[in-house]
Amino acid sequence: MGSTENSAEELVLSNDPLHPANHICELCAKFYTLGWVTGTGGGTSIKRDNHIYIAPSGVQKELLKPTDMFVMDYATKQYLRRPQALKPSACTPLFYAAFQHRGAGCCIHTHSQWAVLVTLLVEREFGKEACFEIEEMEQIKGIPKGKGQIGNLGFYDRLRIPIIENTAHEEDLTESLEEAMENYPEACAVLVRRHGIYVWGDNVHKAKTQCESIDYILQLAVEMKKLGLPWTK
Amino acid sequence: MGSTENSAEELVLSNDPLHPANHICELCAKFYTLGWVTGTGGGTSIKRDNHIYIAPSGVQKELLKPTDMFVMDYATKQYLRRPQALKPSACTPLFYAAFQHRGAGCCIHTHSQWAVLVTLLVEREFGKEACFEIEEMEQIKGIPKGKGQIGNLGFYDRLRIPIIENTAHEEDLTESLEEAMENYPEACAVLVRRHGIYVWGDNVHKAKTQCESIDYILQLAVEMKKLGLPWTK
Amino acid sequence: MGSTENSAEELVLSNDPLHPANHICELCAKFYTLGWVTGTGGGTSIKRDNHIYIAPSGVQKELLKPTDMFVMDYATKQYLRRPQALKPSACTPLFYAAFQHRGAGCCIHTHSQWAVLVTLLVEREFGKEACFEIEEMEQIKGIPKGKGQIGNLGFYDRLRIPIIENTAHEEDLTESLEEAMENYPEACAVLVRRHGIYVWGDNVHKAKTQCESIDYILQLAVEMKKLGLPWTK
Amino acid sequence: MGSTENSAEELVLSNDPLHPANHICELCAKFYTLGWVTGTGGGTSIKRDNHIYIAPSGVQKELLKPTDMFVMDYATKQYLRRPQALKPSACTPLFYAAFQHRGAGCCIHTHSQWAVLVTLLVEREFGKEACFEIEEMEQIKGIPKGKGQIGNLGFYDRLRIPIIENTAHEEDLTESLEEAMENYPEACAVLVRRHGIYVWGDNVHKAKTQCESIDYILQLAVEMKKLGLPWTK
């Protein structure tokens, strides 16, 4: 792997702002202002052809540079580029699951406080293993119907986002994330109790706008609880 | 329509930052930071002479480019410019209603969470078909008296914003929006339950500042409910 | 007055970013991001020597240009510069009161929602004519002891900000503002019920940082009420 | 001291954005947007080799310039650079304590409202002298285990942040801060009741990201109280 280090620069150097190595930097800077990746938390990964680009662990997300990126070969799971001074993201197997099981092109992990609060509110009201449910919100139309179906949810559809329990080590979430993907084939996101959320999409545009729509709904859901308003009828 | 595609570039290319195609981009970028157009939600339209400029559907509003704009002829309702890769906004007939029935020069549609929460609070307290009412707030002076009257509301006037029920498809809101415009001739805005708000004005300046004033009041109204403070005497 | 129009350009054209005409623009743009001057609300005035610079009425505060400024002679109260297309600010006599009675060099008027909510909370708890009081907050040390005394309040001092009732026309607040200044000689700010706040200081630096400190305290006071925490012992 | 004034310019003039004099300016501008240093409150200090760089007192933190910095010799506690027009920060002995007792490379002091509110909530529930405690939050993994131990806290570890009582003069906090450091050898932060928080780290990166992680947790803790959710089991 070390031998590929220098020869791998061309994987991340590009003048195209939409090149994954550049795009992840721009996205993470925006996510920082949204409070999604505070204190090096959260992360983002883009798959382009057979290359997976992943923001490193432990780096200030608003200050990311293209040369900070890890690049993994999708088929072999080998790193094609691995910056020596940095640690690979513990989210890597979770991002991979979205690419593998959902054919995603981008996966975003945030520590949004709305996500954390919603998992606590659901637990109190419905116990563990419950999922978050809400209906009759216009923004639900920003969420796809999911696996195998064309188009987005409608206003009268109920949005369901599964919740999995957090683990001591982020990579140990992989199994339960994959299980949730199987049990909720329509879902484009999984909440992690006391932790945050994973949202994926066919491409960067979809992953980002779906993540925004879901975060908007989660914030609204928390504010509704403060005001004593129910999520469903 | 396809034939007008290339010849229609001059409709959106201008060095004037106040040209509608440029102005909509600048406004939408600002609205994104205000949380009004999260996840491609919301939209904005400007009417100049006989041309209506409309932001497309499904595009990240903070990244809009002038060449993304749809341009419609006001008299014929035909598209003079229709970007092939994009979908026209489902808000188009609603924007049109503001231009036609109120002589508006600009109409803004937001998914502001304060708007959504106020519609839920009104429903719980007063039932469906009720409108939002508040009085004795300085910011009310930022709202015009409305159709046929000169000047703005006073501090002691009561602000009334009608609320219409949401529909499965945005364009199906047109009829009830027009009905609300008729029933509330003084209103410069219509709330849509569980959805957001439409605000219009004689020109961009007025539509934008009225939208800000109303959103400010809606936010204040939600915070007042959290603190147990009444909206009216 | 009209005759001074053209000859008065040099009053507002300067390369110095701290020239009042430039400084007001920079301040108002910042205040917009803080939510203090939404929808053309609020305003700012700087006195330099015998000239008073005042942001106009009804202009988007984040888009102010130096040439938008009104300039008034302090001694004669005559406008030395009066942009034809714009309306002078209704806050002018209130700003003037701070210059005249307190020797202020700058006065800031905001529509901060925290200010509005605090006036409502005080009214409910203590009735009209009451003032806002809080103690034992570090940020109180950002507020001067006031007229005739040197230095700032201490941590154990009680901050008192008088509240006056709003009027239909902003200029009609002048008398009660002056009365509050007389009754509360230590105050560097006056809250206006259901409206906002006026904060002044010896110079721009002091007015701006005192306004920030007070707004911080007002926000904290509102959050304390949501959490059932008392403002004083 | 005055004699070193002019010769000390080279201590703060550098083209390197990571030079302490530049870095503090960039950090404080960011902290301003986070609401941590409103109204000249709060401060930041970086230790490089034997030099301690400290932002001055009473300056607008978002407008800091490298030439505003005080520079102190770590061994002698003498100022190597002391801008004539400015006042040294009252936080200096507190920053020094973090450098001396914890070997910190950077110390950040904020007036975060979440910090203030948490100290009030803890006092109401557990009385004075209590410390803030929370567990099972992913973001806890952003906080180091502390003195003498390698690595960060785990998800199942309980985060404890001591709270000290505020004093009339900031420098008088030094003794109780040092006492708290001794009693809580694992802590990388100390809350100050009705005031804010001090957070330190081995270097700027760690101090800043730990400060962000803690502030995130404090905000979450306040929101949890609003929703009636407990901090620990």
Side-chain angles (χ1 to χ4, degrees), chain D residues 106-138:
Chain D
C106 176
C107 187
I108 298 166
H109 170 47
T110 88
H111 284 192
S112 162
Q113 298 207 356
W114 312 114
V116 173
L117 290 169
V118 160
T119 65
L120 294 170
L121 290 166
V122 169
E123 182 179 7
R124 180 173 64 186
E125 230 167 294
F126 307 104
K128 295 209 174 186
E129 308 206 10
C131 73
F132 168 67
E133 306 196 16
I134 198 165
E135 62 192 358
E136 297 198 13
M137 281 297 158
E138 178 68 11

Side-chain angles (χ1 to χ4, degrees), chain B residues 76-177:
Chain B
T76 65
K77 292 195 187 184
Q78 297 294 308
Y79 284 108
L80 302 174
R81 185 170 191 280
R82 189 173 179 158
Q84 293 290 24
L86 299 172
K87 265 178 61 183
S89 170
C91 309
T92 304
L94 294 114
F95 293 145
Y96 197 91
F99 301 139
Q100 182 176 21
H101 300 300
R102 297 303 178 96
C106 176
C107 187
I108 298 166
H109 170 47
T110 87
H111 284 191
S112 163
Q113 298 207 354
W114 312 113
V116 173
L117 290 169
V118 160
T119 65
L120 294 171
L121 290 166
V122 168
E123 182 179 7
R124 180 173 64 186
E125 232 168 293
F126 306 105
K128 296 209 172 185
E129 308 205 10
C131 73
F132 168 67
E133 305 196 16
I134 198 164
E135 63 192 356
E136 297 198 13
M137 282 295 159
E138 179 67 12
Q139 199 76 30
I140 288 176
K141 290 158 79 172
I143 317 294
K145 281 186 194 152
K147 219 184 176 177
Q149 294 179 81
I150 290 165
N152 281 10
L153 292 173
F155 175 69
Y156 291 108
D157 290 329
R158 185 175 287 207
L159 172 66
R160 282 184 186 82
I161 305 178
I163 302 174
I164 61 175
E165 299 308 315
N166 201 26
T167 51
H169 302 287
E170 193 136 13
E171 51 270 36
D172 295 340
L173 289 169
T174 314
E175 201 177 330
S176 58
L177 184 94

Side-chain angles (χ1 to χ4, degrees), chain D residues 48-65:
Chain D
R48 193 175 70 166
D49 302 329
N50 290 315
H51 293 166
I52 301 175
Y53 291 78
I54 316 150
S57 175
V59 169
Q60 295 175 63
K61 293 296 185 288
E62 78 277 23
L63 302 179
L64 272 183
K65 299 185 303 293

Side-chain angles (χ1 to χ4, degrees), chain D residues 40-108:
Chain D
T40 83
T44 298
S45 180
I46 295 175
K47 177 175 176 291
R48 193 175 70 166
D49 302 329
N50 290 315
H51 293 166
I52 301 175
Y53 291 78
I54 316 150
S57 175
V59 169
Q60 295 175 63
K61 293 296 185 288
E62 78 277 23
L63 302 179
L64 272 183
K65 299 185 303 293
T67 50
D68 293 338
M69 296 299 145
F70 284 70
V71 186
M72 182 185 262
D73 183 77
Y74 180 66
T76 65
K77 292 195 187 184
Q78 296 295 309
Y79 284 108
L80 301 174
R81 185 170 191 281
R82 188 172 178 160
Q84 293 289 28
L86 299 173
K87 266 178 61 182
S89 170
C91 309
T92 304
L94 293 114
F95 292 146
Y96 197 91
F99 300 140
Q100 182 176 22
H101 301 300
R102 298 301 177 95
C106 176
C107 187
I108 298 166

Side-chain angles (χ1 to χ4, degrees), chain D residues 7-227:
Chain D
S7 60
E9 289 307 292
E10 77 274 12
L11 285 169
V12 295
L13 297 179
S14 164
N15 291 322
D16 178 6
L18 296 183
H19 181 283
N22 295 328
H23 211 162
I24 288 176
C25 297
E26 185 232 316
L27 288 170
C28 284
K30 188 177 280 186
F31 296 165
Y32 178 80
T33 68
L34 297 172
W36 290 358
V37 293
T38 302
T40 83
T44 298
S45 180
I46 295 175
K47 177 175 176 291
R48 193 175 70 166
D49 302 329
N50 290 315
H51 293 166
I52 301 175
Y53 291 78
I54 316 150
S57 175
V59 169
Q60 295 175 63
K61 293 296 185 288
E62 78 277 23
L63 302 179
L64 272 183
K65 299 185 303 293
T67 50
D68 293 338
M69 296 299 145
F70 284 70
V71 186
M72 182 185 262
D73 183 77
Y74 180 66
T76 65
K77 292 195 187 184
Q78 296 295 309
Y79 284 108
L80 301 174
R81 185 170 191 281
R82 188 172 178 160
Q84 293 289 28
L86 299 173
K87 266 178 61 182
S89 170
C91 309
T92 304
L94 293 114
F95 292 146
Y96 197 91
F99 300 140
Q100 182 176 22
H101 301 300
R102 298 301 177 95
C106 176
C107 187
I108 298 166
H109 170 47
T110 88
H111 284 192
S112 162
Q113 298 207 356
W114 312 114
V116 173
L117 290 169
V118 160
T119 65
L120 294 170
L121 290 166
V122 169
E123 182 179 7
R124 180 173 64 186
E125 230 167 294
F126 307 104
K128 295 209 174 186
E129 308 206 10
C131 73
F132 168 67
E133 306 196 16
I134 198 165
E135 62 192 358
E136 297 198 13
M137 281 297 158
E138 178 68 11
Q139 199 76 31
I140 289 176
K141 291 159 78 172
I143 317 295
K145 282 185 192 152
K147 219 184 176 181
Q149 294 180 81
I150 290 166
N152 280 8
L153 292 174
F155 175 69
Y156 290 108
D157 290 329
R158 185 175 286 207
L159 172 66
R160 282 184 186 82
I161 305 179
I163 302 175
I164 62 176
E165 298 309 314
N166 202 25
T167 52
H169 301 289
E170 193 136 12
E171 51 271 33
D172 296 339
L173 288 169
T174 314
E175 202 178 329
S176 57
L177 184 94
E178 291 179 326
E179 203 174 277
M181 283 176 165
E182 206 167 299
N183 294 340
Y184 293 80
E186 78 284 7
C188 72
V190 171
L191 284 157
V192 185
R193 189 116 47 212
R194 299 173 171 274
H195 181 154
I197 193 166
Y198 282 84
V199 182
W200 57 85
D202 295 345
N203 50 47
V204 176
H205 169 89
K206 288 192 182 176
K208 187 257 193 184
T209 59
Q210 286 161 199
C211 195
E212 282 185 356
S213 289
I214 289 172
D215 201 62
Y216 167 101
I217 290 168
L218 295 171
Q219 178 176 2
L220 205 44
V222 171
E223 294 298 304
M224 285 167 79
K225 282 293 168 197
K226 286 187 193 163
L227 293 157

